[in-house]
Amino acid sequence: MEELLLPAGEEEDRSPNSPYAPGGAKTDMVDRIKSSLYETLGNLKESIRNFCRRNGLLTLSVLAVMTGCILGFLLRGSHLSTQAKIYFSFPGELLMRMLKMLILPLITSSLMSGLSSMESKACCRMGVLTVTYYLWTTFIAVVVGILLVLIIKPGVGTDMESNRLGGGPVMTSADALLDLIRNMVPSNLIEATFQQYKTDLVPILKLPSRTIMPNFVYIVPDENDPNGRTVYLELTPPPEILYKTSPGSSQQMNVLGIVIFSATMGLLLGKMGERGAPLVNVCQCINECVMKIINAAVWYFPFGIIFLVAGKILDMQDPSSLGKKLGWYTITVLAGLFVHGLILLPFFYFILTRKNPFPFIRGLLQALVIALATSSSSATLPITMKCLLENCNVDRQIARFVLPVGATINMDGTALYEAVAAIFIAQVNDYELDFGQLVTISITATAASIGAAGIPQAGLVTMVIVLTSVGLPPDDITLIVAIDWVLDRFRTMINVLGDALAAGIIAHLCRKDFPLGKTGKPVPTYGTQNTSSSPNATHSVNVPMTEVHTHTDCIFNGMGESFHEGHTHTVYYNICQV
């Protein structure tokens, strides 16, 4: 009997919480479910925290665009006054001014510090590849636009009722090309920071000579004279208006001239060796300060985007009437931008680098959202630089050269838009274009897009060059002005995407031209010391270098975001005697 009896410990295990108890198995299962739920919730919280840390700013920017669209359409029924719209759009205006403020120091410091640290041979090769790639993709974009507009034919049968501007001065293509070349070499560098050269057309009235004999003779009935009274009527012909070219200016930054001057300075600083090192270090410090400002300013962008987008929607005309008149034209432009931006450009990236382009594009989403909100590739330049360096891991020397040049001369979306708009205006006027005129449009659209400034709706200015090259009336630009502000945002996205993908391609093609240190990262030379890849360089001078080991990148720490967190790298400083 004693053997059959359970020990006292086992008797105690038959408590209500014991698994041997009738409800013990159920309690144990509930505990397991609770622990698994707690673990799942903890992992979910950690995943959400990591997602917000990596993509929080991007998510806020996308939500800001959506909120701005909803707010703008809701306020359209309130019929705000012009002054109220200005006050409402003030936060968005502040965002644009903040971005434009960073353009000049970023371009000058990036180009000078980037090119000064390169060998002349490597720099020339990278410059030739960059300009060739930009011209090639721009020409391909024009061809895509021409093919789509000829297939869809959005202007056939379109009855446009618009207020034409009437005859006015029209700048010729030759004058526009000469203005582009003049802006490459600014006469005053300080003046180039806030205005650029532009040829003005001054009207000159040529009065006709007074006629001696009357043009018409009328007999007017007169009560006193039965034969009537003779009236002599002289019709004076209208004065002939001649236009004379005179030098003028446009209140826009001459980005092209600043880019060329900064690139030249950077190349010469690299050749100067130790004597140019102090100025190179100054440019480096300015570049780092600008990036720190960007890291702090990006958190204002979602707030500013809401009012920037909503303010534009408040100024928009009736969407239903625009859809009836310009619906097919809008579809044609958007289809061309989609084909070029999401099919051809990634295909070129894959062919030239043998890498998947879409992870690279994913790292650029923040810059694309800012481009959509601001419609200015130059204003988006600081954010594009930040995305390339932090998310896409593009070499800084390459990004500092390719992006400023691309923001100036690479306008794929603008070129495609100008070609589509020119042929659309020809179709509205029932004007048949032959093959030679289509070739002329493709060439002039490519050249005009290079001269287009990276500002909102700059394509309308250069559109005159394309229209006059094939004899189309420049006044018909008013047909598409109403919808231009919407399309301008999408073509700016394609411009920014093309610049960034070009930086990735050039970084892959020129990867052998940049020396690598022990950590596998490019060692900055600043043109002041010999590197292992170029021992025979004639312009390099040995300057003592000080190594400082850090744990995080000192440039890209800001507001909860860090790049290469937890990895050490070496920063090289020049010890120069000035």
Side-chain angles (χ1 to χ4, degrees):
M1 292 294 294
E2 293 179 356
E3 294 178 355
L4 295 177
L5 294 175
L6 291 173
E10 295 185 6
E11 289 180 356
E12 293 176 356
D13 288 342
R14 289 185 176 272
S15 60
N17 296 328
S18 174
Y20 296 103
K26 185 182 295 185
T27 305
D28 186 56
M29 184 178 297
V30 171
D31 293 338
R32 290 181 180 178
I33 292 175
K34 287 182 178 179
S35 62
S36 63
L37 285 176
Y38 286 143
E39 184 178 356
T40 304
L41 289 176
N43 294 334
L44 182 61
K45 288 181 180 179
E46 187 65 24
S47 301
I48 294 175
R49 188 180 294 109
N50 292 333
F51 176 82
C52 292
R53 186 181 296 114
R54 293 192 307 268
N55 304 308
L57 190 60
L58 173 62
T59 306
L60 289 177
S61 300
V62 174
L63 292 176
V65 173
M66 297 172 61
T67 306
C69 293
I70 296 173
L71 184 62
F73 282 109
L74 288 177
L75 293 177
R76 281 181 63 87
S78 60
H79 303 290
L80 297 177
S81 63
T82 304
Q83 197 68 20
K85 292 179 182 178
I86 294 176
Y87 293 151
F88 179 79
S89 305
F90 177 73
E93 179 188 355
L94 196 62
L95 169 63
M96 288 296 296
R97 297 175 71 88
M98 189 183 303
L99 289 172
K100 291 179 179 180
M101 174 187 67
L102 300 174
I103 295 175
L104 180 62
L106 182 64
I107 288 178
T108 54
S109 62
S110 297
L111 285 174
M112 287 186 187
S113 59
L115 294 180
S116 63
S117 59
M118 298 181 190
E119 301 293 335
S120 299
K121 183 178 179 181
C123 183
C124 292
R125 180 171 183 267
M126 184 177 67
V128 171
L129 288 176
T130 302
V131 174
T132 303
Y133 175 80
Y134 282 155
L135 293 177
W136 168 250
T137 55
T138 302
F139 183 75
I140 291 296
V142 172
V143 173
V144 170
I146 291 176
L147 291 178
L148 283 178
V149 75
L150 291 179
I151 293 173
I152 299 176
K153 296 181 179 179
V156 175
T158 303
D159 185 16
M160 304 296 294
E161 295 178 1
S162 75
N163 297 323
R164 304 298 174 90
L165 296 177
V170 177
M171 182 185 298
T172 63
S173 301
D175 290 334
L177 181 60
L178 291 178
D179 284 351
L180 177 63
I181 298 175
R182 290 188 186 103
N183 285 320
M184 290 182 180
V185 188
S187 59
N188 189 330
L189 191 62
I190 305 300
E191 187 181 69
T193 59
F194 58 87
Q195 68 181 21
Q196 56 181 286
Y197 186 93
K198 181 188 176 191
T199 299
D200 289 336
L201 298 179
V202 180
I204 300 176
L205 298 179
K206 185 178 180 182
L207 298 177
S209 59
R210 183 180 179 84
T211 55
I212 301 175
M213 297 299 294
N215 300 93
F216 299 95
V217 178
Y218 291 93
I219 305 298
V220 179
D222 192 354
E223 297 179 356
N224 300 325
D225 189 356
N227 295 327
R229 182 163 53 91
T230 304
V231 176
Y232 299 97
L233 182 62
E234 180 180 350
L235 297 180
T236 304
E240 184 180 359
I241 302 178
L242 301 177
Y243 291 97
K244 177 184 178 183
T245 60
S246 65
S249 61
S250 175
Q251 297 302 319
Q252 300 168 6
M253 184 187 299
N254 185 5
V255 181
L256 186 60
I258 293 173
V259 164
I260 292 179
F261 174 79
S262 302
T264 306
M265 285 285 293
L267 291 174
L268 295 179
L269 285 174
K271 290 180 175 294
M272 289 174 64
E274 182 180 355
R275 292 179 299 166
L279 184 54
V280 174
N281 292 333
V282 170
C283 294
Q284 279 284 83
C285 293
I286 293 176
N287 190 264
E288 293 181 12
C289 290
V290 170
M291 298 307 296
K292 286 181 178 292
I293 293 174
I294 294 170
N295 282 331
V298 289
W299 296 100
Y300 174 78
F301 290 174
F303 180 74
I305 286 173
I306 294 176
F307 296 93
L308 189 66
V309 175
K312 283 294 182 181
I313 293 178
L314 287 176
D315 293 333
M316 184 177 63
Q317 298 181 12
D318 185 17
S320 59
S321 62
L322 287 179
K324 293 178 182 178
K325 294 180 180 179
L326 300 170
W328 282 109
Y329 167 73
T330 304
I331 292 174
T332 305
V333 175
L334 293 180
L337 295 176
F338 174 82
V339 170
H340 184 73
L342 296 181
I343 297 178
L344 292 181
L345 288 180
F347 177 72
F348 294 155
Y349 181 88
F350 174 76
I351 292 297
L352 295 174
T353 64
R354 299 296 179 183
K355 297 178 183 178
N356 186 2
F358 294 102
F360 189 91
I361 296 176
R362 183 181 178 277
L364 301 170
L365 291 179
Q366 176 66 35
L368 297 180
V369 172
I370 298 298
L372 178 65
T374 61
S375 71
S376 172
S377 55
S378 296
T380 315
L381 180 60
I383 309 301
T384 311
M385 183 83 71
K386 182 176 184 293
C387 291
L388 275 184
L389 298 178
E390 293 188 10
N391 302 333
C392 302
N393 299 327
V394 174
D395 184 78
R396 293 182 191 175
Q397 298 177 6
I398 293 177
R400 288 170 179 172
F401 173 77
V402 176
L403 281 186
V405 174
T408 308
I409 68 172
N410 184 39
M411 301 289 177
D412 294 351
T414 303
L416 185 148
Y417 162 81
E418 289 178 349
V420 172
I423 300 178
F424 170 77
I425 291 174
Q427 292 174 351
V428 169
N429 291 298
D430 294 329
Y431 187 82
E432 292 292 336
L433 298 173
D434 55 18
F435 180 75
Q437 290 174 317
L438 293 178
V439 173
T440 303
I441 288 178
S442 63
I443 296 175
T444 52
T446 304
S449 65
I450 296 175
I455 58 174
Q457 297 182 325
L460 287 178
V461 180
T462 56
M463 177 71 66
V464 176
I465 305 174
V466 183
L467 294 178
T468 56
S469 65
V470 290
L472 292 172
D475 303 329
D476 284 354
I477 293 178
T478 54
L479 300 176
I480 57 177
V481 167
I483 200 67
D484 180 73
W485 73 272
V486 178
L487 299 178
D488 187 28
R489 280 157 165 71
F490 290 98
R491 66 177 184 256
T492 302
M493 291 178 64
I494 301 303
N495 294 340
V496 172
L497 178 62
D499 297 343
L501 287 177
I505 291 173
I506 300 302
H508 178 80
L509 297 178
C510 300
R511 62 189 184 278
K512 296 181 181 180
D513 296 332
F514 298 94
L516 297 178
K518 295 180 181 179
T519 59
K521 296 183 179 181
V523 178
T525 62
Y526 307 118
T528 57
Q529 75 274 3
N530 291 324
T531 59
S532 57
S533 64
S534 58
N536 298 324
T538 59
H539 64 275
S540 297
V541 179
N542 290 323
V543 176
M545 301 294 292
T546 301
E547 298 184 6
V548 179
H549 298 277
T550 60
H551 294 280
T552 55
D553 193 338
C554 59
I555 301 179
F556 301 108
N557 284 341
M559 307 300 291
E561 292 187 355
S562 61
F563 177 55
H564 291 310
E565 186 173 356
H567 298 281
T568 60
H569 70 282
T570 304
V571 179
Y572 291 81
Y573 291 94
N574 283 324
I575 307 300
C576 301
Q577 294 181 354
V578 182

